[in-house]
Amino acid sequence: MKKSIIFDMDGTLFQTDKILECSLEDTFERLRSMGVWVGETPIDQYRQIMGAPLPKVWETLLPEHAQHVRAQTDGFFLERLISNIEAGKGELYPHVEEVFRGLRAQQYSIFIASNGLERYLKTIVDHYDLTHWITEVFSIERIPSLNKSDLVGSILRKYEIEQGAVVGDRLSDIRAAKDNGLTAIGCSFDFAQEDELAQADIVINDLRKLLTVLPKLYKLQKNTR
């Protein structure tokens, strides 16, 4: 049985909050300068929907704005995120590389399934030199439905994965795991919400716990086949 683990990116591997507020502030300052936004930057509202695909983010934050304004805002925000990552303002969560090294030593294939865009994800992977650990990165851009369950399903089909786990911090990650017959491992990190984590099979507050949890999980899955 192939051993595979699928990670979310934002709020799970990458500390998005390090670049989120400044990127969003820059974006809404631009909207204010254009005369199409009045008031404070809705950072708290964005934190509530963190992890949603960006088109849905702008539908929520800019519900009364024209589609072309949302599209322009989306593009500008992406550029600010990428610039801030390249400037070293972001950061991985503690022990990411240690955990990846340990998982590869245990012969796990590592995948990323994220609601982030391709360029954004590539910037993170390249900046932190994660390419040699990860089998493939899957962006929500590949899925017309913008549904993370469908994205995870595409990984399973491509790599003929039958058992494994999805590691993430939000309900979309937990549902993606369960909709595809995988174990849902919730990360109790910055953007996580207790009511969502309650639906996970396992909850961790340190990525290193995966190195002990996953072998036990794999053994159980193998014995129940």
Side-chain angles (χ1 to χ4, degrees):
M1 180 171 62
K2 296 179 181 179
K3 299 195 293 185
S4 302
I5 183 165
I6 301 170
F7 285 90
D8 173 46
M9 179 65 85
D10 291 315
T12 299
L13 298 175
F14 184 65
Q15 297 186 58
T16 316
D17 60 319
K18 300 284 186 181
I19 62 168
L20 173 63
E21 188 166 345
C22 59
S23 299
L24 200 65
E25 184 60 48
D26 289 346
T27 301
F28 275 82
E29 181 57 35
R30 179 175 181 271
L31 291 174
R32 283 188 284 264
S33 71
M34 294 167 58
V36 296
W37 182 263
V38 177
E40 297 182 356
T41 300
I43 184 68
D44 290 337
Q45 188 178 7
Y46 187 35
R47 287 181 180 276
Q48 291 298 313
I49 57 174
M50 182 65 196
L54 282 176
K56 294 185 178 180
V57 166
W58 303 121
E59 287 176 11
T60 301
L61 300 185
L62 303 173
E64 298 180 3
H65 290 69
Q67 184 57 41
H68 75 275
V69 174
R70 293 179 189 167
Q72 291 174 0
T73 302
D74 184 60
F76 184 82
F77 183 59
L78 175 62
E79 295 302 329
R80 296 309 304 147
L81 289 172
I82 289 173
S83 295
N84 284 321
I85 293 167
E86 293 176 339
K89 295 182 180 180
E91 191 173 347
L92 297 176
Y93 278 97
H95 315 299
V96 167
E97 292 191 49
E98 175 187 346
V99 170
F100 278 7
R101 187 180 301 110
L103 291 174
R104 289 300 295 269
Q106 294 177 17
Q107 299 184 319
Y108 279 89
S109 296
I110 299 171
F111 300 91
I112 305 295
S114 172
N115 283 336
L117 302 181
E118 295 276 4
R119 281 185 58 213
Y120 170 73
L121 298 172
K122 185 178 187 303
T123 301
I124 295 173
V125 170
D126 290 349
H127 185 80
Y128 295 100
D129 194 25
L130 301 178
T131 307
H132 54 292
W133 305 119
I134 298 169
T135 302
E136 190 171 353
V137 178
F138 286 74
S139 165
I140 201 67
E141 283 187 275
R142 301 188 184 192
I143 302 297
S145 67
L146 300 181
N147 185 302
K148 200 164 206 178
S149 294
D150 295 339
L151 184 63
V152 168
S154 72
I155 300 175
L156 304 191
R157 290 190 296 275
K158 180 173 181 178
Y159 288 91
E160 299 181 341
I161 298 167
E162 296 180 356
Q163 301 287 340
V166 175
V167 182
D169 66 316
R170 299 307 302 264
L171 186 59
S172 60
D173 304 304
I174 295 168
R175 286 177 174 167
K178 296 195 171 186
D179 287 346
N180 288 283
L182 305 179
T183 300
I185 301 179
C187 293
S188 183
F189 296 165
D190 297 304
F191 299 108
Q193 298 183 13
E194 288 189 14
D195 59 330
E196 296 183 356
L197 291 177
Q199 300 182 51
D201 298 307
I202 301 167
V203 177
I204 61 173
N205 57 16
D206 186 323
L207 289 171
R208 291 176 295 183
K209 292 185 178 181
L210 292 172
L211 299 176
T212 54
V213 166
L214 287 171
K216 295 176 183 177
L217 177 63
Y218 172 71
K219 184 177 181 180
L220 178 64
Q221 291 175 339
K222 187 176 181 180
N223 291 338
T224 56
R225 289 195 69 189

